Amino acid sequence: DGGITQSPKYLFRKEGQNVTLSCEQNLNHDAMYWYRQDPGQGLRLIYYSQIVNDFQKGDIAEGYSVSREKKESFPLTVTSAQKNPTAFYLCASSSGLLNEQFFGPGTRLTVL
Amino acid sequence: QKEVEQNSGPLSVPEGAIASLNCTYSDRGSQSFFWYRQYSGKSPELIMFIYSNGDKEDGRFTAQLNKASQYVSLLIRDSQPSDSATYLCAPQGADGLTFGKGTHLIIQP
């Protein structure tokens, strides 16, 4: 089955720790995205990548880092510099920047 | 700053009636418009998109676009309890999608 997978589904982190969220897609999409969603809020773009080894900051990139070493994978690291990391993190992909995006199931991160 | 405005709701509609969801956007360069449905605790799923002014129908869903007024809407006919969700409007600009905060729709049996 083609699709986007994210792992883990739930993640708990202690303050001061870095944590990496996984996102993999087998749709052969060029573009991948990371969003953050807080309760009652819309999706805010963290980072996006249009091609391998290239990525751009979104609206709220501070405290986050990404890599795009493979077309299929776009992991997100939430660093200790992110002041309020508890949120629902969504990964998406599209065949191009101007095309519809498809979302993975999400990772819910809680900082204890 | 690109803005997408949606009434947050909740919008309560009786089962079988028509639900009307509205969205306005600020980026006049937006060319395509996407509607996503998001159930509580789940990720958004694409249900409809529209490129041209006018109406586009797909089953019980109709998207309406008026670029001159910077307005896009989604109509859901014969509303079902399973339609209860948050609906996100997402205009597409030169650097990708901008999402609204969504309208929470409740279909009352």
Side-chain angles (χ1 to χ4, degrees), chain B residues 17-76:
Chain B
I18 296 175
S20 177
L21 307 168
N22 304 317
C23 172
T24 59
Y25 59 95
S26 64
D27 182 10
R28 285 194 172 275
S30 298
Q31 294 298 314
S32 304
F33 303 83
F34 300 89
W35 282 99
Y36 287 83
R37 177 176 61 200
Q38 186 175 23
Y39 292 115
S40 181
K42 303 297 185 181
S43 62
E45 56 178 320
L46 180 68
I47 56 171
M48 195 83 183
F49 58 89
I50 186 167
Y51 302 125
S52 304
N53 278 329
D55 296 358
K56 179 184 178 183
E57 186 174 319
D58 184 1
R60 296 188 296 113
F61 298 97
T62 298
Q64 299 176 318
L65 175 60
N66 184 326
K67 289 186 179 180
S69 300
Q70 295 175 253
Y71 174 88
V72 58
S73 66
L74 179 71
L75 302 178
I76 306 175

Side-chain angles (χ1 to χ4, degrees), chain A residues 37 90 98-101 104, chain B residues 34 36 38 43 92-93 99:
Chain A
Q37 188 175 39
L90 290 158
L98 303 183
N99 298 101
E100 58 269 31
Q101 295 180 18
Chain B
F34 300 89
Y36 287 83
Q38 186 175 23
S43 62
Q92 179 194 78
F99 286 86

Side-chain angles (χ1 to χ4, degrees), chain B residues 73-88:
Chain B
S73 66
L74 179 71
L75 302 178
I76 306 175
R77 290 182 300 281
D78 188 24
S79 297
Q80 302 297 311
S82 60
D83 294 327
S84 297
T86 297
Y87 290 81
L88 307 175

